[in-house]
Amino acid sequence: MQTEVLRSCSDEVLLEMIRLEGNHLAFTTLYDRYWNKLLAIAYNLLRDKSSAKEIVQEVFISLWNRRTNIEVRNAGSYLATAVKFSVFKQIERERRYRHIELADVGDLQLAAVDDRIEDLFIKEYLAGLLEALPEKCALVINYSRIRDWSNAQIAEELNIAEKTVEGHLTKGLKLIRANLKASGMLSLLTASATWHLFR
């Protein structure tokens, strides 16, 4: 397919071509379509053009490397979220590394720091999703998934029936998953230890 034709294709079509065919031209078209927008996002957060370029490049490389098993419905939202996620990790990593004597830290300890940074980001992101839920729904999710309370304990605490707890839980988790899928975060979170709480 010629480049001109690909330029007129929707993101969804390009993503399918990338996922199913490993189509390099489709990938390049998506790259060209979003590069400047993503660079602007990264630069606004980092104020360092070189680092911003590196992060955007890594996001696209990751997309290509994971093309066969990644589910992305909205390319723009997914890529923007992935860039913000990467920026956050870099900022947090640098902050934490300043408090560590790197000469005395092995690769395994550095990996543990990276895992902790990622976990922190995910918890903060999910906390933001909880705040957007209806109040009772958010409370039930918080008690169930964060505090690990049973449905009976939640029902007693909130003075509601266990069936009502189950209803809030089902509704809340459904909304969270839908939000994660729409934003593209679902693909970023599935490997996380925190994510199992919201399955």
Side-chain angles (χ1 to χ4, degrees):
M1 196 180 287
Q2 293 183 344
T3 307
E4 294 77 19
V5 177
L6 284 171
R7 284 196 190 118
S8 65
C9 288
S10 67
D11 290 350
E12 290 76 13
V13 170
L14 293 175
L15 285 167
E16 278 298 286
M17 293 173 72
I18 293 165
R19 187 173 69 84
L20 298 174
E21 305 166 19
N23 190 305
H24 286 272
L25 279 177
F27 180 77
T28 302
T29 303
L30 199 68
Y31 180 98
D32 291 341
R33 188 174 291 177
Y34 285 102
W35 173 264
N36 287 331
K37 292 176 188 175
L38 298 175
L39 185 61
I41 290 170
Y43 179 75
N44 284 338
L45 293 168
L46 289 169
R47 295 296 170 186
D48 181 324
K49 197 162 187 179
S50 176
S51 295
K53 281 182 177 179
E54 191 174 319
I55 278 177
V56 175
Q57 193 73 31
E58 284 172 3
V59 164
F60 275 111
I61 289 169
S62 175
L63 176 65
W64 176 258
N65 289 340
R66 300 168 63 202
R67 65 191 178 279
T68 56
N69 57 15
I70 202 168
E71 282 187 35
V72 178
R73 289 190 176 181
N74 184 319
S77 182
Y78 169 81
L79 291 167
T81 303
V83 165
K84 290 173 188 173
F85 183 61
S86 297
V87 168
F88 176 88
K89 283 175 70 174
Q90 177 167 313
I91 292 170
E92 197 58 25
R93 185 184 298 117
E94 287 172 359
R95 185 179 71 80
R96 285 171 182 266
Y97 283 5
R98 280 197 292 270
H99 300 290
I100 296 173
E101 187 60 51
L102 292 182
D104 298 327
V105 177
D107 289 343
L108 287 175
Q109 285 169 289
L110 290 179
V113 172
D114 278 345
D115 288 344
R116 176 73 189 96
I117 291 166
E118 188 164 313
D119 194 48
L120 178 64
F121 174 84
I122 291 165
K123 282 179 178 171
E124 287 184 2
Y125 188 87
L126 291 171
L129 293 185
L130 280 178
E131 285 179 16
L133 293 175
E135 186 180 356
K136 273 277 172 68
C137 205
L139 276 172
V140 168
I141 296 287
N142 183 54
Y143 287 138
S144 173
R145 293 304 194 255
I146 308 299
R147 300 191 189 185
D148 199 26
W149 286 15
S150 69
N151 286 0
Q153 288 175 302
I154 299 168
E156 185 179 347
E157 175 71 17
L158 299 178
N159 197 26
I160 56 177
E162 280 192 55
K163 280 285 184 190
T164 307
V165 171
E166 288 172 16
H168 283 307
L169 199 54
T170 301
K171 179 184 176 183
L173 291 174
K174 188 176 179 182
L175 288 169
I176 286 173
R177 289 188 199 109
N179 187 298
L180 290 172
K181 188 168 273 192
S183 70
M185 277 295 288
L186 192 58
S187 296
L188 294 171
L189 298 189
T190 48
S192 152
T194 303
W195 165 240
H196 80 277
L197 299 173
F198 294 87
R199 284 178 182 166

